[in-house]
Amino acid sequence: MNWFWKKKKQPSDEKGETSEKKKKRLKISELFYNNHFVMVFSVVCALILWFIMAATNTTERPWEITNVPVEVELSASAQEENLKVFDQSVTEATVSVTGNSIIVNRLTSADIKAVASLSPSGISTLSKGMMEYTLPLTPEKVTNQLSDYQLVSVYPKEVTVLVDKYKETSFDIESNIKYGFNDQYFYNTPTLSTDSVTISGPASSVSKVSRVVAEYSTDEVLTSTKVFQCKLVAYDENGAKVEDQYLEYSVKEVDATVSVFPRQTIELVPSAVNAPSVFAQSRMSVTPETIVVAGPEDALKNLSDITLDPVDFSAVNLSNTTFTKTVTLPAGFKNISNTWDVEVKVDLKDYSEKKLELMSKNITVKNQSDTQKVKVLTDSIQIDSVGPEAQVSQLTSDDVYAMLDMAGQTDVSGTVKMPIRVAFTDATGCWVYGKYTVSVLVEKK
């Protein structure tokens, strides 16, 4: 039964404890009515406030501004020598300042800079050609808007710089594009999106560069036009790569286009002017007979032969049967054979020549204007005829006639030389060797 009575007493115990806590709280609040307690409490608060103020006092205790930019200023003499700083050991510093705490707390790294002055005197040349100089750093105020503070120190105290004369040089870009080949295709020389590049930097570094190459390599066999993005690589005069961190390129990459065309063998066909209509094409031969060309696939399907510039038969006789003609390709095609001049030969076997007289009575004038009176003054001309032996042997002067065409000659007057066109009657296989003119009197009616 003791446990029962103990439980019954618990509520009264809890109430006792609660009353005791209330009494304690009342006693703590009553302490502030005690003069001795108040005095001790005030001293403690004053000490705490003093420590806080001492910790934030920027009048005597320096305040550090971090991330202050380090600037290297070139003297006038350094600028005259075209010197430039290409590297420096530090780019930011920490500056200590003192002064009005309100002003100091507003300062940022943009309000201060750490400055080093560069003069060429005392600079030593390194083995690579760069110049090294160790310069003291001095803190400076950037603006005077916040002036109520003092600069105390800077860390680090010095900066080491690498200096050289500035130089830039332009180089033609070479291409070195490697890829797989197929003999049925023609691969044009790669064309670059940019033909040249300007490299700038330290003179000692730029001077190492001898040439610049756009490089790309793939095992793919190209069967169509491809564009590759190529990195530029600099080489020295010995063929070694120039890898210099201080070099700057106006462009670092270029596009290289490799044009790929199918190739095909094309026949070369001779042609003629001023030749008899019955002259056999088989009597004209071309050396070489074919060339290999490349071009767009669709256009290449429609190209089976190329007709050469015509041979003028007025220049063909038994002693002059070989002519050089230049191959002309349609636009967009490539001459893979690289054969541009070919030889056309005219076969005159069983042909002969004969000199004949052209009489003025056999010269006909046509297309003269109504206001013109034309009279041929030349009595006769000796002409050279060429043709099959059977026909030439039968020709006489009566078979020779000519035409004098006055079309477009309305302003001509007086005695002039005019070209004529000579032909033969009933000799379809013959032609005239040479060009002929006659003297003509042109009068107004």
Side-chain angles (χ1 to χ4, degrees), residues 209-227:
V209 181
S210 176
R211 61 193 186 98
V212 179
V213 182
E215 296 187 340
Y216 192 90
S217 179
T218 178
D219 293 330
E220 178 186 1
V221 176
L222 302 188
T223 57
S224 62
T225 298
K226 281 276 190 177
V227 179

PDB file of all heavy atoms in Angstrom, residues 209-227:
ATOM      1  N   VAL A 209      58.921  31.036 -85.953  1.00  0.00           N
ATOM      2  CA  VAL A 209      57.971  30.479 -86.915  1.00  0.00           C
ATOM      3  C   VAL A 209      58.471  30.683 -88.336  1.00  0.00           C
ATOM      4  O   VAL A 209      58.805  31.797 -88.736  1.00  0.00           O
ATOM      5  CB  VAL A 209      56.582  31.114 -86.745  1.00  0.00           C
ATOM      6  CG1 VAL A 209      55.598  30.516 -87.742  1.00  0.00           C
ATOM      7  CG2 VAL A 209      56.079  30.920 -85.318  1.00  0.00           C
ATOM      8  N   SER A 210      58.522  29.581 -89.098  1.00  0.00           N
ATOM      9  CA  SER A 210      58.941  29.637 -90.496  1.00  0.00           C
ATOM     10  C   SER A 210      57.752  29.459 -91.440  1.00  0.00           C
ATOM     11  O   SER A 210      57.700  30.070 -92.497  1.00  0.00           O
ATOM     12  CB  SER A 210      59.984  28.551 -90.774  1.00  0.00           C
ATOM     13  OG  SER A 210      60.343  28.531 -92.133  1.00  0.00           O
ATOM     14  N   ARG A 211      56.787  28.635 -91.049  1.00  0.00           N
ATOM     15  CA  ARG A 211      55.599  28.423 -91.877  1.00  0.00           C
ATOM     16  C   ARG A 211      54.458  27.944 -90.997  1.00  0.00           C
ATOM     17  O   ARG A 211      54.678  27.477 -89.855  1.00  0.00           O
ATOM     18  CB  ARG A 211      55.875  27.402 -92.988  1.00  0.00           C
ATOM     19  CG  ARG A 211      56.259  26.022 -92.497  1.00  0.00           C
ATOM     20  CD  ARG A 211      56.810  25.155 -93.612  1.00  0.00           C
ATOM     21  NE  ARG A 211      57.057  23.794 -93.166  1.00  0.00           N
ATOM     22  CZ  ARG A 211      56.231  22.766 -93.355  1.00  0.00           C
ATOM     23  NH1 ARG A 211      55.091  22.970 -94.019  1.00  0.00           N
ATOM     24  NH2 ARG A 211      56.519  21.562 -92.923  1.00  0.00           N
ATOM     25  N   VAL A 212      53.231  28.069 -91.516  1.00  0.00           N
ATOM     26  CA  VAL A 212      52.029  27.675 -90.776  1.00  0.00           C
ATOM     27  C   VAL A 212      51.220  26.724 -91.662  1.00  0.00           C
ATOM     28  O   VAL A 212      51.013  26.996 -92.850  1.00  0.00           O
ATOM     29  CB  VAL A 212      51.176  28.900 -90.390  1.00  0.00           C
ATOM     30  CG1 VAL A 212      49.924  28.461 -89.647  1.00  0.00           C
ATOM     31  CG2 VAL A 212      51.992  29.855 -89.519  1.00  0.00           C
ATOM     32  N   VAL A 213      50.782  25.611 -91.067  1.00  0.00           N
ATOM     33  CA  VAL A 213      50.113  24.561 -91.837  1.00  0.00           C
ATOM     34  C   VAL A 213      48.748  24.252 -91.217  1.00  0.00           C
ATOM     35  O   VAL A 213      48.612  24.151 -89.996  1.00  0.00           O
ATOM     36  CB  VAL A 213      50.967  23.278 -91.873  1.00  0.00           C
ATOM     37  CG1 VAL A 213      50.288  22.203 -92.717  1.00  0.00           C
ATOM     38  CG2 VAL A 213      52.365  23.571 -92.401  1.00  0.00           C
ATOM     39  N   ALA A 214      47.732  24.105 -92.092  1.00  0.00           N
ATOM     40  CA  ALA A 214      46.423  23.611 -91.667  1.00  0.00           C
ATOM     41  C   ALA A 214      46.449  22.091 -91.800  1.00  0.00           C
ATOM     42  O   ALA A 214      46.615  21.566 -92.903  1.00  0.00           O
ATOM     43  CB  ALA A 214      45.316  24.207 -92.524  1.00  0.00           C
ATOM     44  N   GLU A 215      46.285  21.391 -90.675  1.00  0.00           N
ATOM     45  CA  GLU A 215      46.464  19.936 -90.675  1.00  0.00           C
ATOM     46  C   GLU A 215      45.181  19.200 -90.314  1.00  0.00           C
ATOM     47  O   GLU A 215      44.405  19.639 -89.464  1.00  0.00           O
ATOM     48  CB  GLU A 215      47.579  19.546 -89.705  1.00  0.00           C
ATOM     49  CG  GLU A 215      48.952  20.080 -90.103  1.00  0.00           C
ATOM     50  CD  GLU A 215      50.064  19.547 -89.221  1.00  0.00           C
ATOM     51  OE1 GLU A 215      49.757  19.094 -88.100  1.00  0.00           O
ATOM     52  OE2 GLU A 215      51.231  19.577 -89.643  1.00  0.00           O
ATOM     53  N   TYR A 216      44.981  18.060 -91.011  1.00  0.00           N
ATOM     54  CA  TYR A 216      43.865  17.166 -90.692  1.00  0.00           C
ATOM     55  C   TYR A 216      44.193  15.794 -91.265  1.00  0.00           C
ATOM     56  O   TYR A 216      44.803  15.682 -92.329  1.00  0.00           O
ATOM     57  CB  TYR A 216      42.550  17.674 -91.291  1.00  0.00           C
ATOM     58  CG  TYR A 216      41.338  16.959 -90.752  1.00  0.00           C
ATOM     59  CD1 TYR A 216      40.673  17.431 -89.627  1.00  0.00           C
ATOM     60  CD2 TYR A 216      40.873  15.788 -91.349  1.00  0.00           C
ATOM     61  CE1 TYR A 216      39.567  16.776 -89.116  1.00  0.00           C
ATOM     62  CE2 TYR A 216      39.770  15.121 -90.851  1.00  0.00           C
ATOM     63  CZ  TYR A 216      39.118  15.614 -89.736  1.00  0.00           C
ATOM     64  OH  TYR A 216      38.031  14.953 -89.218  1.00  0.00           O
ATOM     65  N   SER A 217      43.784  14.752 -90.558  1.00  0.00           N
ATOM     66  CA  SER A 217      44.075  13.390 -91.015  1.00  0.00           C
ATOM     67  C   SER A 217      42.885  12.486 -90.719  1.00  0.00           C
ATOM     68  O   SER A 217      42.306  12.536 -89.628  1.00  0.00           O
ATOM     69  CB  SER A 217      45.327  12.856 -90.305  1.00  0.00           C
ATOM     70  OG  SER A 217      45.608  11.530 -90.731  1.00  0.00           O
ATOM     71  N   THR A 218      42.501  11.701 -91.724  1.00  0.00           N
ATOM     72  CA  THR A 218      41.425  10.731 -91.548  1.00  0.00           C
ATOM     73  C   THR A 218      41.687   9.541 -92.461  1.00  0.00           C
ATOM     74  O   THR A 218      42.315   9.678 -93.518  1.00  0.00           O
ATOM     75  CB  THR A 218      40.046  11.348 -91.878  1.00  0.00           C
ATOM     76  OG1 THR A 218      39.036  10.343 -91.741  1.00  0.00           O
ATOM     77  CG2 THR A 218      40.020  11.893 -93.288  1.00  0.00           C
ATOM     78  N   ASP A 219      41.208   8.361 -92.055  1.00  0.00           N
ATOM     79  CA  ASP A 219      41.346   7.147 -92.869  1.00  0.00           C
ATOM     80  C   ASP A 219      40.182   6.995 -93.853  1.00  0.00           C
ATOM     81  O   ASP A 219      40.179   6.077 -94.677  1.00  0.00           O
ATOM     82  CB  ASP A 219      41.411   5.909 -91.970  1.00  0.00           C
ATOM     83  CG  ASP A 219      42.681   5.884 -91.130  1.00  0.00           C
ATOM     84  OD1 ASP A 219      43.693   6.427 -91.593  1.00  0.00           O
ATOM     85  OD2 ASP A 219      42.651   5.323 -90.013  1.00  0.00           O
ATOM     86  N   GLU A 220      39.206   7.877 -93.786  1.00  0.00           N
ATOM     87  CA  GLU A 220      38.028   7.780 -94.650  1.00  0.00           C
ATOM     88  C   GLU A 220      38.418   7.968 -96.117  1.00  0.00           C
ATOM     89  O   GLU A 220      39.174   8.869 -96.473  1.00  0.00           O
ATOM     90  CB  GLU A 220      37.018   8.859 -94.250  1.00  0.00           C
ATOM     91  CG  GLU A 220      35.771   8.875 -95.113  1.00  0.00           C
ATOM     92  CD  GLU A 220      34.851  10.040 -94.781  1.00  0.00           C
ATOM     93  OE1 GLU A 220      35.207  10.832 -93.895  1.00  0.00           O
ATOM     94  OE2 GLU A 220      33.789  10.146 -95.425  1.00  0.00           O
ATOM     95  N   VAL A 221      37.891   7.100 -96.983  1.00  0.00           N
ATOM     96  CA  VAL A 221      38.094   7.231 -98.426  1.00  0.00           C
ATOM     97  C   VAL A 221      37.026   8.181 -98.960  1.00  0.00           C
ATOM     98  O   VAL A 221      35.829   7.893 -98.889  1.00  0.00           O
ATOM     99  CB  VAL A 221      38.004   5.867 -99.132  1.00  0.00           C
ATOM    100  CG1 VAL A 221      38.133   6.051-100.640  1.00  0.00           C
ATOM    101  CG2 VAL A 221      39.079   4.931 -98.615  1.00  0.00           C
ATOM    102  N   LEU A 222      37.450   9.301 -99.492  1.00  0.00           N
ATOM    103  CA  LEU A 222      36.502  10.319 -99.936  1.00  0.00           C
ATOM    104  C   LEU A 222      35.961   9.986-101.324  1.00  0.00           C
ATOM    105  O   LEU A 222      36.708   9.695-102.253  1.00  0.00           O
ATOM    106  CB  LEU A 222      37.179  11.691 -99.970  1.00  0.00           C
ATOM    107  CG  LEU A 222      37.792  12.201 -98.654  1.00  0.00           C
ATOM    108  CD1 LEU A 222      38.244  13.634 -98.817  1.00  0.00           C
ATOM    109  CD2 LEU A 222      36.809  12.074 -97.506  1.00  0.00           C
ATOM    110  N   THR A 223      34.639  10.037-101.455  1.00  0.00           N
ATOM    111  CA  THR A 223      33.982   9.853-102.748  1.00  0.00           C
ATOM    112  C   THR A 223      33.071  11.038-103.065  1.00  0.00           C
ATOM    113  O   THR A 223      32.339  11.002-104.053  1.00  0.00           O
ATOM    114  CB  THR A 223      33.170   8.547-102.769  1.00  0.00           C
ATOM    115  OG1 THR A 223      32.217   8.571-101.696  1.00  0.00           O
ATOM    116  CG2 THR A 223      34.083   7.340-102.626  1.00  0.00           C
ATOM    117  N   SER A 224      33.098  12.046-102.234  1.00  0.00           N
ATOM    118  CA  SER A 224      32.339  13.270-102.462  1.00  0.00           C
ATOM    119  C   SER A 224      33.067  14.413-101.777  1.00  0.00           C
ATOM    120  O   SER A 224      33.961  14.195-100.949  1.00  0.00           O
ATOM    121  CB  SER A 224      30.912  13.140-101.918  1.00  0.00           C
ATOM    122  OG  SER A 224      30.932  12.920-100.512  1.00  0.00           O
ATOM    123  N   THR A 225      32.685  15.614-102.108  1.00  0.00           N
ATOM    124  CA  THR A 225      33.339  16.804-101.561  1.00  0.00           C
ATOM    125  C   THR A 225      33.155  16.868-100.046  1.00  0.00           C
ATOM    126  O   THR A 225      32.063  16.631 -99.533  1.00  0.00           O
ATOM    127  CB  THR A 225      32.779  18.070-102.214  1.00  0.00           C
ATOM    128  OG1 THR A 225      33.053  18.028-103.616  1.00  0.00           O
ATOM    129  CG2 THR A 225      33.412  19.315-101.628  1.00  0.00           C
ATOM    130  N   LYS A 226      34.241  17.161 -99.339  1.00  0.00           N
ATOM    131  CA  LYS A 226      34.226  17.204 -97.873  1.00  0.00           C
ATOM    132  C   LYS A 226      34.842  18.512 -97.382  1.00  0.00           C
ATOM    133  O   LYS A 226      35.731  19.080 -98.014  1.00  0.00           O
ATOM    134  CB  LYS A 226      35.017  16.033 -97.290  1.00  0.00           C
ATOM    135  CG  LYS A 226      34.266  14.711 -97.279  1.00  0.00           C
ATOM    136  CD  LYS A 226      33.387  14.611 -96.046  1.00  0.00           C
ATOM    137  CE  LYS A 226      32.817  13.201 -95.890  1.00  0.00           C
ATOM    138  NZ  LYS A 226      32.018  13.087 -94.662  1.00  0.00           N
ATOM    139  N   VAL A 227      34.340  18.958 -96.224  1.00  0.00           N
ATOM    140  CA  VAL A 227      34.900  20.134 -95.560  1.00  0.00           C
ATOM    141  C   VAL A 227      35.429  19.701 -94.200  1.00  0.00           C
ATOM    142  O   VAL A 227      34.703  19.093 -93.403  1.00  0.00           O
ATOM    143  CB  VAL A 227      33.845  21.247 -95.392  1.00  0.00           C
ATOM    144  CG1 VAL A 227      34.457  22.451 -94.676  1.00  0.00           C
ATOM    145  CG2 VAL A 227      33.291  21.670 -96.742  1.00  0.00           C
TER     146      VAL A 227
END
